[in-house]
Amino acid sequence: MRLCFGSYMAVLVSCKAVNVDNKELCEALLHSVAPNFEFTYDGQENADRVREDVSSKLLRCEQNLSKDVSDPARTAGLEEVASYFRNNILPMLDRNMSKQIILALKDIIANDPPVKVGNKMQGIDGDTKVELVSGITKSELVPKGDFCFHTFLAGVFLYTVTNTTNRTGKATIKSITDEYILSFTPRIGEITLLEDDEAKRGSLVSAVKESGKYGEEFAENVAGFVVDRINQLALPSKQDDSLLVTLLSEANGNCLKCGKKLGIPKRGKVPVGNCEIVYLKQSPNESECYENAVVLCTDECAPLVSVMSEIEIDELLEDKRRCANIQAFLDRISGIKFPEEIEAVLREVHKTKNAKGLEGTSVTDLVEIERKIHEPYLKDKINASMARLYKTVKVICARLEQEIGFDTNMFGGLMRSASMMVEGGVMKNADITDPQEYIANLLVDKLYSQMGQKYKDACEIIVGYLVKRCDLFNENAKQS
Ligand SMILES: [Zn+2]
Ligand SMILES: [Zn+2]
């Protein structure tokens, strides 16, 4: 056996995730140290063909790695390469095969003794560091059972790239087959995969122990202490990314209190600056959870939370709930089944065409509701994902007009009752802070009950469409 880039890659190729190409995997590996590296091949111009050819030659040990890869590998930042492996290589591998990969690489390394070939030495000596991130030697690797997977992969990769000649594996590369990898399955109990923290701890313990002066217990304590401190330091930047993304998406990327634009980071990416998650507790022993979490701007609003009154906290929480509800609503209506629900409601409405409550009406009635209230959340609703859905409603209406003689004007009945409610005192009722929302909700309720309490979201969209249609008519009326 020979450890080289080809044999290393052959192990990973046997354990790829579904739909990962060899050439993609090969490229991703080399990009860990040479991000701009591109395969070239004399006489071949088709770039894809070149990638294919070169990666399969590397995999068969028929070609050596380019200096453009091995040179930067010698000076690459170890932590950076390791985290690149965690983020970019692990997703390309079958998660069920991590232990087989480790066992296979251990086996190849153990069976690669130093031998004289011609006037050169090949193979690995016991004192040679074979995993360059943690610096573990070939002899130390033999009894080792605890592994931080991505670190190990990165470290062995760096060794193969900087210390081995790929062609030297040509004679033995054929023995690294799927069967060879699978032969390790009965032994996976020998391997324990460590999380980052445990791995850090593990290497610290052995580092302190190695200094010779201190006992095991002392080493353990030091390691525990150091890892705790590291975690404390890392805490602010490690703030739950996905919670932050959720909260910011719900708040439309704004500070919930002052409305300042904070932005919405992509999941998995480091969050945007000037914002933090604050937990609004209504009693001191309340736990921190999604329900009481909000995102506020760091420079102004977050520091104010500690001096906020109970009422102010309640108001902020109320805002948060509204935001969350709207987001949940938007998530639901983005489903592929949703147009079908709209159609179902419209068909149902059509059936009740001649029943009381949905009498036909003329377009002029639709212009009646002039007192549009600009409620921010409703407006957001209407403006964001709605436009697309209104189109859907319109298209379905038009199709049903052809198919079943659907009469769009019958919605006028709904709108007429709405305008009557506006005239008839909704505005004067002090309990109703937002007449437009109030009326929209009544219309939704009406449609919803007509539907036998089904497809509430579709009802909301259709009512939203009506409201929007009024907007449009108003615009037209103004222009003419
Ligand atoms: Zn090779
Ligand atoms: Zn703010």
Side-chain angles (χ1 to χ4, degrees):
M1 292 274 190
R2 178 112 311 147
L3 178 71
C4 61
F5 180 73
S7 55
Y8 173 91
M9 198 180 134
V11 171
L12 299 195
V13 161
S14 284
C15 305
K16 283 183 305 186
V18 284
N19 292 336
V20 173
D21 286 345
N22 290 358
K23 59 174 185 289
E24 286 169 359
L25 179 59
C26 184
E27 226 164 32
L29 286 169
L30 303 184
H31 284 172
S32 67
V33 289
N36 301 317
F37 177 75
E38 279 182 54
F39 294 118
T40 50
Y41 196 63
D42 285 344
Q44 179 58 268
E45 278 167 16
N46 180 329
D48 222 40
R49 199 53 210 281
V50 172
R51 291 166 72 213
E52 195 99 44
D53 284 353
V54 176
S55 43
S56 77
K57 286 196 161 171
L58 288 171
L59 188 55
R60 293 196 305 265
C61 297
E62 288 172 356
Q63 184 174 327
N64 287 332
L65 277 175
S66 157
K67 261 176 82 68
D68 294 337
V69 175
S70 51
D71 280 353
R74 276 177 241 286
T75 53
L78 302 179
E79 288 292 328
E80 276 170 43
V81 177
S83 77
Y84 175 94
F85 267 66
R86 182 181 53 217
N87 298 332
N88 300 284
I89 303 299
L90 296 202
M92 301 180 101
L93 301 174
D94 181 348
R95 289 294 163 117
N96 300 300
M97 298 296 284
S98 308
K99 293 178 179 179
Q100 283 90 336
I101 293 175
I102 293 171
L103 286 163
L105 290 174
K106 277 183 78 174
D107 187 65
I108 295 171
I109 291 166
N111 291 296
D112 186 5
V115 284
K116 199 162 166 268
V117 179
N119 52 5
K120 277 198 166 171
M121 289 300 289
Q122 288 181 359
I124 310 167
D125 187 69
D127 294 334
T128 301
K129 290 178 174 163
V130 287
E131 194 268 76
L132 300 189
V133 176
S134 75
I136 190 169
T137 65
K138 177 177 175 178
S139 327
E140 287 164 342
L141 183 62
V142 176
K144 191 173 164 65
D146 297 349
F147 288 89
C148 174
F149 187 43
H150 67 272
T151 307
F152 180 68
L153 280 185
V156 176
F157 167 80
L158 286 175
Y159 176 82
T160 65
V161 173
T162 56
N163 283 275
T164 69
T165 307
N166 195 31
R167 284 173 188 267
T168 61
K170 190 160 177 11
T172 52
I173 185 75
K174 284 203 175 66
S175 59
I176 298 165
T177 59
D178 290 351
E179 292 77 56
Y180 168 74
I181 307 295
L182 284 175
S183 73
F184 293 101
T185 303
R187 289 174 47 197
I188 56 173
E190 295 170 24
I191 303 297
T192 308
L193 297 176
L194 301 177
E195 295 304 316
D196 285 2
D197 277 359
E198 295 170 69
K200 257 186 235 157
R201 223 183 113 85
S203 59
L204 276 166
V205 169
S206 45
V208 178
K209 255 164 49 187
E210 254 171 40
S211 68
K213 282 188 247 165
Y214 311 105
E216 179 115 6
E217 196 188 334
F218 180 76
E220 291 274 356
N221 288 338
V222 170
F225 176 74
V226 173
V227 170
D228 277 357
R229 290 308 290 265
I230 290 172
N231 286 346
Q232 276 169 24
L233 289 175
L235 207 64
S237 65
K238 268 173 101 178
Q239 206 177 38
D240 188 347
D241 262 13
S242 97
L243 178 60
L244 187 66
V245 176
T246 304
L247 295 173
L248 276 172
S249 314
E250 283 172 2
N252 217 356
N254 301 330
C255 169
L256 195 65
K257 188 163 167 15
C258 71
K260 200 183 300 171
K261 199 92 210 140
L262 302 171
I264 303 174
K266 293 218 169 67
R267 250 169 239 278
K269 292 264 162 43
V270 182
V272 288
N274 192 30
C275 62
E276 59 190 271
I277 298 176
V278 179
Y279 296 91
L280 302 173
K281 298 184 190 176
Q282 284 159 312
S283 70
N285 41 14
E286 200 179 310
S287 62
E288 298 185 345
C289 57
Y290 162 77
E291 274 71 28
N292 58 23
V294 298
V295 174
L296 299 178
C297 63
T298 306
D299 56 351
E300 279 176 45
C301 300
L304 295 178
V305 170
S306 57
V307 294
M308 269 183 204
S309 70
E310 248 175 71
I311 295 169
E312 284 173 304
I313 298 250
D314 284 348
E315 278 172 4
L316 261 185
L317 280 173
E318 184 53 38
D319 282 348
K320 179 226 156 67
R321 270 175 228 123
R322 298 177 70 144
C323 286
N325 288 340
I326 289 167
Q327 187 57 40
F329 170 75
L330 291 176
D331 286 347
R332 286 198 304 274
I333 62 173
S334 58
I336 47 166
K337 280 226 166 284
F338 197 66
E340 289 172 26
E341 291 182 16
I342 289 177
E343 181 167 342
V345 174
L346 292 175
R347 282 179 180 276
E348 202 59 36
V349 167
H350 177 70
K351 276 191 217 156
T352 59
K353 187 176 173 185
N354 297 317
K356 275 187 290 180
L358 269 183
E359 71 273 27
T361 186
S362 71
V363 165
T364 45
D365 284 332
L366 293 171
V367 194
E368 289 299 305
I369 304 177
E370 279 177 10
R371 267 160 278 199
K372 292 275 168 293
I373 287 87
H374 296 282
E375 203 276 329
Y377 299 103
L378 185 67
K379 221 170 139 65
D380 274 352
K381 256 194 206 179
I382 288 172
N383 292 339
S385 300
M386 298 289 154
R388 189 164 40 95
L389 279 159
Y390 293 153
K391 237 184 193 158
T392 310
V393 177
K394 207 174 155 197
V395 169
I396 295 173
C397 281
R399 181 160 54 75
L400 293 180
E401 234 172 73
Q402 298 291 319
E403 264 179 42
I404 58 174
F406 183 80
D407 176 14
T408 2
N409 281 336
M410 77 172 88
F411 284 123
L414 281 172
M415 296 314 282
R416 183 194 283 158
S417 39
S419 73
M420 276 156 56
M421 276 187 277
V422 174
E423 302 301 333
V426 169
M427 301 285 277
K428 292 173 207 124
N429 186 338
D431 289 341
I432 299 165
T433 51
D434 183 345
Q436 182 170 347
E437 195 186 62
Y438 177 77
I439 289 167
N441 286 340
L442 284 179
L443 290 178
V444 171
D445 284 346
K446 188 168 177 181
L447 199 51
Y448 182 53
S449 71
Q450 195 133 4
M451 286 301 296
Q453 318 284 315
K454 269 192 306 187
Y455 307 136
K456 182 144 192 193
D457 292 329
C459 296
E460 281 199 31
I461 293 292
I462 290 166
V463 169
Y465 171 71
L466 294 173
V467 173
K468 190 72 189 168
R469 220 166 101 152
C470 291
D471 271 342
L472 290 175
F473 286 137
N474 282 343
E475 289 303 314
N476 291 343
K478 264 182 238 155
Q479 277 167 16
S480 58

